[in-house]
Every structure is written in C-alpha cells, then in structure tokens.
Amino acid sequence: MRKKKIFLGGYINHINAQNINCKSIAKHLDKEKYRIKTLVLSSEKIPNITGVTYIKVYEFLYSISNLIAYIRAVFWADVCYVPKHQSTPKIALKIASLVGTKLFTTIEGNMCDTSKRNMMHSFGSLDKMKRYFSLIPNVFGITNYIVENATCGINFQKESLSLGVEKNMFHYEIKRESLRNIIFIGS
C-alpha cells in the first residue's frame, strides 16, 4: 500500500497555535501509513521528529522562499493542511486545485463579528477574505461555537476539528493551595 503524503503548513520550530498543532500532528501521525513534510523557518531549533522531513523557509527573501516551499508542497502532497492564512500563497492554493491536491484549514477565532477584532481585519475586507477561503474546499472551525458563528459567507464543514496540543509542553509540577491572580491571554 502506498503511503499518503501529508503536508503540514506550520513552522514547527516556532511557537504559536498553528505551529504547535502541526508539530503535534507530525509527531503522532502513523508513519507506517503517512509520509509527512512540514515547514521550518530558518535553521534555528529544528526538532528531530522521526519519519518527518522538512521544507526550509529562509527569513532572508522570506516571500520568495515561502512561495517556493508551498508550491513544492502542493506538487508533492496528497493532502495539505494550510492553517497559516496570511502566509499561505494564493497561487499555491490555485495550483493545488489544478493538480488535485486536497486542502483543508482550521479557523481559531472570530471571523464575522464586526463588533470585535475579526479575521476580516487581517484580509482587509470581507470580499478578500471570501475570495481566499473559496480556494480551500474544507474549512473547519476548531470549536462548535466558531462554526455556529461563522455567518459571513465562508463555507464551513458542519463538524468542528479540534486542535492537537502537546499538553506536556505546558505542564508544570508546581502545586498551589490557592490562586490570587489569574491572567488570560487570548481572544
């Protein structure tokens, strides 16, 4: 049986939600069934994950290097997970459609509620955001709440797709009897 080729579009040597998720997926996918490639940014702290190969994106001439990395990925892969919307080149998404590479992405925050900071701000307008997401046939919210509140014309899958996170990266053994201060960072 031929192994499925999976591309994970996160820079697994830098910390943020999408990158940690891609690193967790890369670590836990069955290497007997899948060949896995993912991105690394520069040469700093490249993790050694058995059975995973890397496409390096260079900070010098980042835009060109990133474009080449994504184009290589869509020609190579059977399935591409593209969670980094601002750094995923649209031309790579169009090429994926032409060559039959399956695409999916996840949405982690507010897309449509204009009373709060939302994804439209990142894209510049609702029309630009709709055009971008029309290139990705499988869009998943990471929670049911996100799926139910995406009412601005992006076609979401009905089921949510939770992110995978290595909880041991954030687990500390300090025991406390009581908490005096709680700080929440997020949206």
Side-chain angles (χ1 to χ4, degrees):
M1 176 175 84
R2 182 176 90 79
K3 291 182 182 180
K4 289 276 186 196
K5 296 181 280 185
I6 309 290
F7 169 70
L8 305 169
Y11 306 107
I12 66 166
N13 60 334
H14 283 264
I15 292 179
N16 79 15
Q18 299 99 343
N19 296 342
I20 292 170
N21 187 43
C22 287
K23 185 176 180 180
S24 293
I25 293 169
K27 184 176 175 183
H28 294 289
L29 276 176
D30 185 344
K31 309 310 186 289
E32 297 296 318
K33 294 181 182 178
Y34 305 106
R35 290 181 54 202
I36 303 153
K37 283 190 185 197
T38 189
L39 298 173
V40 291
L41 188 58
S42 267
S43 296
E44 25 179 287
K45 299 176 271 173
I46 298 174
N48 184 13
I49 303 173
T50 304
V52 176
T53 57
Y54 307 108
I55 300 173
K56 194 178 288 188
V57 175
Y58 297 93
E59 289 182 84
F60 178 73
L61 298 173
Y62 170 81
S63 294
I64 294 168
S65 180
N66 189 62
L67 174 65
I68 292 167
Y70 271 91
I71 290 173
R72 284 179 56 201
V74 297
F75 276 113
W76 174 81
D78 297 313
V79 177
C80 292
Y81 172 41
V82 289
K84 313 225 20 107
H85 307 121
Q86 298 307 312
S87 60
T88 302
K90 283 192 265 183
I91 188 71
L93 301 176
K94 291 176 183 177
I95 291 169
S97 175
L98 292 173
V99 300
T101 302
K102 295 181 177 9
L103 296 171
F104 75 99
T105 193
T106 51
I107 304 298
E108 301 164 7
N110 175 28
M111 290 189 84
C112 308
D113 183 353
T114 56
S115 69
K116 301 177 186 124
R117 180 92 176 136
N118 60 61
M119 197 175 282
M120 286 183 269
H121 290 105
S122 300
F123 282 93
S125 73
L126 176 60
D127 286 337
K128 287 179 183 176
M129 185 174 77
K130 281 182 174 181
R131 281 195 303 272
Y132 174 83
F133 284 104
S134 72
L135 300 171
I136 305 172
N138 298 293
V139 179
F140 294 89
I142 64 165
T143 66
N144 290 335
Y145 179 84
I146 291 172
V147 173
E148 292 162 6
N149 288 285
T151 57
C152 53
I154 306 300
N155 293 321
F156 272 71
Q157 298 296 314
K158 293 190 184 343
E159 296 289 320
S160 62
L161 181 63
S162 300
L163 297 182
V165 174
E166 298 293 323
K167 70 178 183 178
N168 60 352
M169 286 177 62
F170 304 100
H171 180 72
Y172 301 98
E173 290 296 322
I174 299 170
K175 305 264 187 207
R176 303 221 186 254
E177 295 298 319
S178 66
L179 295 174
R180 290 179 290 162
N181 298 309
I182 297 174
I183 299 171
F184 175 78
I185 301 171
S187 56

